[in-house]
Amino acid sequence: MILVTGGAGFIGANFVLDWLALNDEPVINLDKLTYAGNLESLSSLQSDSRHVFVQGDIGDSALVSGLLATHQPRAVVHFAAESHVDRSIHGAEDFIQTNIVGTFRLLEAVRAHWAALPEADRAAFRFLHVSTDEVYGSLTPDAPAFTETHGFEPNSPYSASKAASDHLVRAWHHTHGLPVITTNCSNNYGPYHFPEKLIPLMIVNALAGKPLPVYGDGMQVRDWLYVKDHCSAIRRVLQGGQLGETYNVGGWNEQPNIEIVRIICSLLDELRPRADGASYTTQITHVKDRPGHDRRYAIDARKIEQELGWKPAETFQTGIRKTVQWYLDHSDWVERVQSGAYRQWVKAQYGTPATA
Ligand code: NAD
Ligand code: DAU
């Protein structure tokens, strides 16, 4: 079996669902269930004995050591993190605790377990660290996309904490020989994405008749990848990635934020037209920019393609249509994740109530 951390979050839940849809290897899912963790995303696995959910913290060494000893996973896939840049600007404490201290404690527990394994199991063991393109910093408009050898220049408390965790993972390989692999992925989108992030926020706000808050001029560029393609990349790296290597994962789809918002509006105009016949674009509102906002990210994903034969299956056109349709079909999921904690966040960040 494999141990997944953060498997009740956006990417982790998609990963667990896809993993169990594709094969029968069981998953132990360790998740603290912060505001971003949501067991409802995994409700289809409720009576599935291949999924063992454990609520807990990656920084709880005794808990992690116990899980490793009891379940003897052959691999750890580490998603658990505080993941929202804006929240890291409001307060970085949880980011330091989970992304840095938590990853350190997890690495130590895994190292002790791995070191005591019989030779063949030790050789087969993997620790896959899921990271982000934000560790590389920001690109100028014409600069080449990030390769795996690009220097680390993290600019936000979030990306600095992820960069620190990447360094720890690298050091545990070089110093202790732990069999690690790291992936650095671009912006994901798709089902079960918490509506604090750009794409789900825009869909949810549009449908609620609320303003669509675009930071600054909206010309910041991100490279968007459908979440299930990220999950397939992780499976591929787990299966064939070289130990100690990092692999960039991206969708070859750079778009300015304002264009993303317009595409969402036009899909909603088609799939759920407003009662008054006006376009959802009339709800677009430019608001104060994010402090230290990175201007452009772009991933050069040639290494994973050439070495491991991975390519995204979705184009942005197909992926964003599926995503908008998913949110239209799952208004109950959206309603339920808009908890008290979510409402407080929306008020602090945007100065407006979370629901219309
Ligand atoms: P998310 O915020 O949706 O989910 C994070 C999950 O981790 C939640 O279920 C939360 O409860 C859990 N968690 C948080 N702290 C924990 C702790 N101390 N112990 C155990 N569980 C804890 O995040 P996501 O968007 O799914 O991102 C998952 C990983 O992928 C993160 O490491 C993130 O840095 C990375 N990543 C995300 C993106 C993206 O676009 N979302 C892109 C590249 C990489
Ligand atoms: O690049 C990978 C990263 O992508 C991941 O490591 C992070 O975990 C993930 O949250 C994401 O970070 P971003 O900051 O790029 O994502 P977010 O959805 O918060 O914002 C995307 C862009 O949209 C960014 O330029 C900020 C802008 N934005 C965001 C929000 C929430 C707005 O203009 N308005 C908004 O209300």
Side-chain angles (χ1 to χ4, degrees):
M1 63 162 57
I2 61 167
L3 170 62
V4 166
T5 71
F10 163 47
I11 306 173
N14 277 287
F15 180 84
V16 170
L17 290 168
D18 288 0
W19 181 270
L20 293 174
L22 289 166
N23 69 75
D24 278 335
E25 186 175 10
V27 175
I28 319 152
N29 183 353
L30 172 62
D31 195 297
K32 190 177 174 181
L33 294 182
T34 67
Y35 79 92
N38 185 5
L39 275 183
E40 203 168 325
S41 307
L42 298 165
S43 58
S44 61
L45 300 176
Q46 231 161 18
S47 49
D48 191 328
S49 59
R50 298 171 306 162
H51 179 238
V52 179
F53 182 79
V54 178
Q55 182 170 7
D57 195 316
I58 54 164
D60 182 341
S61 306
L63 172 67
V64 174
S65 301
L67 288 175
L68 292 166
T70 307
H71 297 284
Q72 298 285 326
R74 69 172 176 94
V76 174
V77 184
H78 177 33
F79 292 96
E82 288 292 335
S83 69
H84 189 31
V85 174
D86 292 319
R87 284 183 190 256
S88 80
I89 295 167
H90 281 247
E93 180 77 34
D94 290 346
F95 291 74
I96 306 302
Q97 276 310 325
T98 286
N99 300 0
I100 306 179
V101 179
T103 298
F104 156 69
R105 293 204 181 128
L106 180 66
L107 282 166
E108 278 295 77
V110 171
R111 179 166 78 93
H113 170 75
W114 165 79
L117 289 174
E119 177 62 37
D121 293 349
R122 201 163 357 120
F125 194 86
R126 295 289 178 272
F127 181 96
L128 195 154
H129 176 57
V130 180
S131 193
T132 169
D133 59 359
E134 299 200 11
V135 297
Y136 299 124
S138 185
L139 290 167
T140 54
D142 301 322
F146 299 127
T147 63
E148 288 79 359
T149 55
H150 195 283
F152 274 27
E153 294 173 349
N155 291 318
S156 72
Y158 161 70
S159 56
S161 68
K162 288 296 289 187
S165 69
D166 290 19
H167 286 316
L168 291 174
V169 169
R170 176 189 161 86
W172 260 241
H173 174 69
H174 280 265
T175 302
H176 298 300
L178 192 69
V180 308
I181 314 175
T182 295
T183 53
N184 292 91
C185 188
S186 62
N187 284 65
N188 287 212
Y189 67 98
Y192 306 111
H193 204 180
F194 195 75
E196 65 184 353
K197 307 281 171 63
L198 179 77
I199 288 182
L201 180 84
M202 293 298 157
I203 300 171
V204 167
N205 274 18
L207 293 171
K210 296 184 66 195
L212 307 180
V214 173
Y215 296 163
D217 62 4
M219 292 306 291
Q220 304 84 3
V221 172
R222 297 291 182 267
D223 173 357
W224 294 95
L225 179 70
Y226 191 62
V227 63
K228 288 177 180 299
D229 281 325
H230 187 187
C231 296
S232 75
I234 291 169
R235 291 194 302 273
R236 191 71 201 87
V237 170
L238 187 60
Q239 184 190 35
Q242 294 294 312
L243 295 188
E245 289 292 312
T246 64
Y247 293 89
N248 282 355
V249 184
W252 301 107
N253 177 59
E254 283 184 61
Q255 307 246 22
N257 294 336
I258 188 71
E259 187 53 27
I260 296 290
V261 178
R262 289 204 185 106
I263 291 169
I264 291 168
C265 289
S266 110
L267 280 167
L268 287 173
D269 287 341
E270 175 198 329
L271 299 169
R272 182 71 57 84
R274 270 175 41 154
D276 64 2
S279 168
Y280 286 98
T281 53
T282 58
Q283 292 169 229
I284 294 175
T285 315
H286 289 264
V287 300
K288 194 166 142 293
D289 208 350
R290 172 185 280 175
H293 201 165
D294 284 338
R295 200 66 186 164
R296 175 178 167 237
Y297 305 139
I299 277 283
D300 182 332
R302 278 178 296 179
K303 179 175 170 181
I304 188 171
E305 181 177 343
Q306 287 165 7
E307 287 187 16
L308 301 177
W310 175 87
K311 263 191 188 177
E314 299 289 342
T315 63
F316 189 69
Q317 283 83 350
T318 58
I320 192 68
R321 181 174 281 275
K322 282 186 186 174
T323 303
V324 170
Q325 190 62 58
W326 188 89
Y327 279 86
L328 288 172
D329 295 342
H330 293 83
S331 52
D332 49 344
W333 180 90
V334 172
E335 235 164 73
R336 283 196 281 266
V337 298
Q338 291 177 319
S339 65
Y342 173 79
R343 281 198 283 276
Q344 278 162 23
W345 163 252
V346 171
K347 195 146 194 312
Q349 174 71 356
Y350 302 99
T352 53
T355 44

